[in-house]
Amino acid sequence: MEKTVPPLATAKFKNYRNQLLEQVKAANTSEVKRATYELELIEKSRFIELNGIVHHYHDSGPADAERVVVLIHGWDCWWMWWHHVIKALNGQGIRTIAYDMRGHGWSDNDPGNRYHIDFFAQDLGALVKQLGLGRFHIAAFSFGPFVALDYARTAPGRIASMTFFNFGYLPNNAFVSAVAPASINFIFNNLLRGLTWWLPAYMFARLVLSKNTVMLHDILIGFKSLGLCAPQAIEQTTSQITALETTESVPEMVRAADMPILFVAGEGDAIMTCDNTRKLQEFTEKGSYVCVPDCGHLITVELPDTTSELILGQVMAN
């Protein structure tokens, strides 16, 4: 295990790492195993300043790999939602770069509280440039595709393919646009964020978002993402993605994409349904679509093997 803290490491990272170092001393074997695994995982964690904000990214797999996949997390999530996928893709000789958006995970919060899609897209562009990436692939879920599509408009020909999970063309109207932000913000910023025990949050996810039993470690990873995300990020991104202007612009953003896109939906996803996902695929010239049976909105932890296989197939085909 790495004994030194990476340069530019944020306070959020240092605090989390210190917690893991304490947990490896615990008497509970399962707790020790989880902490040991995460300490080994974060040996590949690095930090970089993008547009004045220190960002965390996890860079693993062969440094000289022919294929590189940038993994973009979802709304109120962080890079570790991809940990199963990272292992699977690295095992196939693919380099993965999973990063935390500003205000999420171990990336610093934005002092200016700028958490709109265009700022996230600019950060992605800065990351790609500073890491010197050539042509690469993207996999993103939930909120992540908004960022990927916005970035893609500024980088024609740079992206070999994209794989989008749980992202569709949501029906919207003035009432939904007015009511949804306050409701969602209250649930996540006022109710779930205040929880000190993971079980209530898991019950919410299991009843509303998931169709499969999720491993305890992944439950804890998901629960921890709530506390690591800036409250303003939740508030602003919710307002933006539920705005009529944003939802109405999605078809055009997809239509303008110049690379193959695989749209993946869970058959049991009550938020981004298979029908809503198929609608987006129909706007593309190079789009394909998969509806995964017995799957909800949390595919990366519900069915990580399926997630990895779908990304791998898209990458190898393009």
Side-chain angles (χ1 to χ4, degrees), residues 1-164:
M1 296 180 196
E2 187 174 338
K3 301 299 182 183
T4 59
V5 176
L8 293 180
T10 61
K12 287 195 285 185
F13 172 84
K14 293 176 182 177
N15 290 337
Y16 194 101
R17 180 177 176 274
N18 288 338
Q19 291 172 13
L20 293 178
L21 292 173
E22 288 300 314
Q23 288 172 14
V24 294
K25 304 174 185 177
N28 185 302
T29 303
S30 297
E31 185 176 352
V32 171
K33 185 177 180 180
R34 290 193 296 269
T36 301
Y37 169 77
E38 291 191 27
L39 283 169
E40 292 173 349
L41 194 62
I42 65 176
E43 289 181 7
K44 299 296 184 179
S45 285
R46 301 292 181 264
F47 293 84
I48 190 169
E49 186 173 316
L50 307 173
N51 298 317
I53 299 171
V54 175
H55 282 66
H56 163 262
Y57 69 99
H58 184 271
D59 190 346
S60 62
D64 60 349
E66 179 182 352
R67 296 177 175 87
V68 179
V69 179
V70 174
L71 301 167
I72 307 177
H73 64 72
W75 182 84
D76 193 31
C77 301
W78 61 322
W79 76 278
M80 208 177 287
W81 284 68
W82 294 107
H83 75 100
H84 294 295
V85 173
I86 289 169
K87 182 178 180 181
L89 294 183
N90 291 165
Q92 296 296 320
I94 295 173
R95 178 185 176 191
T96 57
I97 298 169
Y99 75 103
D100 290 320
M101 297 183 205
R102 62 172 68 190
H104 296 71
W106 294 330
S107 290
D108 269 339
N109 295 349
D110 180 0
N113 286 327
R114 295 161 297 185
Y115 297 111
H116 283 210
I117 293 170
D118 53 346
F119 287 104
F120 293 128
Q122 290 169 27
D123 292 338
L124 173 58
L127 176 67
V128 169
K129 182 178 181 180
Q130 290 196 44
L131 294 184
L133 300 184
R135 193 165 163 82
F136 63 97
H137 304 262
I138 285 178
F141 71 91
S142 183
F143 177 72
F146 284 104
V147 177
L149 287 169
D150 198 57
Y151 165 73
R153 294 190 292 189
T154 68
R158 290 293 303 277
I159 305 170
S161 77
M162 296 200 285
T163 306
F164 291 162

Side-chain angles (χ1 to χ4, degrees), residues 21-312:
L21 292 173
E22 288 300 314
Q23 288 172 14
V24 294
K25 304 174 185 177
N28 185 302
T29 303
S30 297
E31 185 176 352
V32 171
K33 185 177 180 180
R34 290 193 296 269
T36 301
Y37 169 77
E38 291 191 27
L39 283 169
E40 292 173 349
L41 194 62
I42 65 176
E43 289 181 7
K44 299 296 184 179
S45 285
R46 301 292 181 264
F47 293 84
I48 190 169
E49 186 173 316
L50 307 173
N51 298 317
I53 299 171
V54 175
H55 282 66
H56 163 262
Y57 69 99
H58 184 271
D59 190 346
S60 62
D64 60 349
E66 179 182 352
R67 296 177 175 87
V68 179
V69 179
V70 174
L71 301 167
I72 307 177
H73 64 72
W75 182 84
D76 193 31
C77 301
W78 61 322
W79 76 278
M80 208 177 287
W81 284 68
W82 294 107
H83 75 100
H84 294 295
V85 173
I86 289 169
K87 182 178 180 181
L89 294 183
N90 291 165
Q92 296 296 320
I94 295 173
R95 178 185 176 191
T96 57
I97 298 169
Y99 75 103
D100 290 320
M101 297 183 205
R102 62 172 68 190
H104 296 71
W106 294 330
S107 290
D108 269 339
N109 295 349
D110 180 0
N113 286 327
R114 295 161 297 185
Y115 297 111
H116 283 210
I117 293 170
D118 53 346
F119 287 104
F120 293 128
Q122 290 169 27
D123 292 338
L124 173 58
L127 176 67
V128 169
K129 182 178 181 180
Q130 290 196 44
L131 294 184
L133 300 184
R135 193 165 163 82
F136 63 97
H137 304 262
I138 285 178
F141 71 91
S142 183
F143 177 72
F146 284 104
V147 177
L149 287 169
D150 198 57
Y151 165 73
R153 294 190 292 189
T154 68
R158 290 293 303 277
I159 305 170
S161 77
M162 296 200 285
T163 306
F164 291 162
F165 296 94
N166 310 105
F167 178 66
Y169 186 27
L170 282 176
N172 199 358
N173 55 52
F175 176 77
V176 172
S177 182
V179 173
S183 301
I184 296 173
N185 186 59
F186 176 77
I187 291 172
F188 283 85
N189 265 344
N190 296 89
L191 294 181
L192 296 180
R193 181 180 291 276
L195 297 174
T196 57
W197 188 31
W198 59 265
L199 185 58
Y202 170 69
M203 293 304 297
F204 171 81
R206 185 66 179 85
L207 294 173
V208 178
L209 303 176
S210 172
K211 294 298 177 182
N212 295 277
T213 300
V214 178
M215 294 193 307
L216 176 59
H217 192 189
D218 289 323
I219 295 168
L220 296 174
I221 285 173
F223 181 61
K224 290 171 183 175
S225 69
L226 290 168
L228 291 168
C229 186
Q232 296 86 351
I234 294 177
E235 182 179 352
Q236 292 182 34
T237 52
T238 301
S239 296
Q240 190 173 19
I241 62 178
T242 56
L244 282 171
E245 180 183 3
T246 302
T247 53
E248 290 175 355
S249 71
V250 170
E252 185 57 38
M253 293 174 70
V254 169
R255 190 181 288 113
D258 65 348
M259 76 294 294
I261 304 177
L262 172 61
F263 295 88
V264 182
E267 187 178 45
D269 189 345
I271 300 173
M272 295 291 186
T273 67
C274 285
D275 286 343
N276 291 337
T277 300
R278 182 186 287 277
K279 288 178 184 177
L280 278 189
Q281 182 267 329
E282 293 172 351
F283 288 111
T284 68
E285 292 185 5
K286 302 178 182 179
S288 53
Y289 160 80
V290 173
C291 183
V292 180
D294 302 318
C295 181
H297 190 68
L298 307 178
I299 188 170
T300 62
V301 292
E302 285 187 69
L303 300 173
D305 290 343
T306 300
T307 305
S308 303
E309 290 167 5
L310 289 167
I311 296 173
L312 181 62

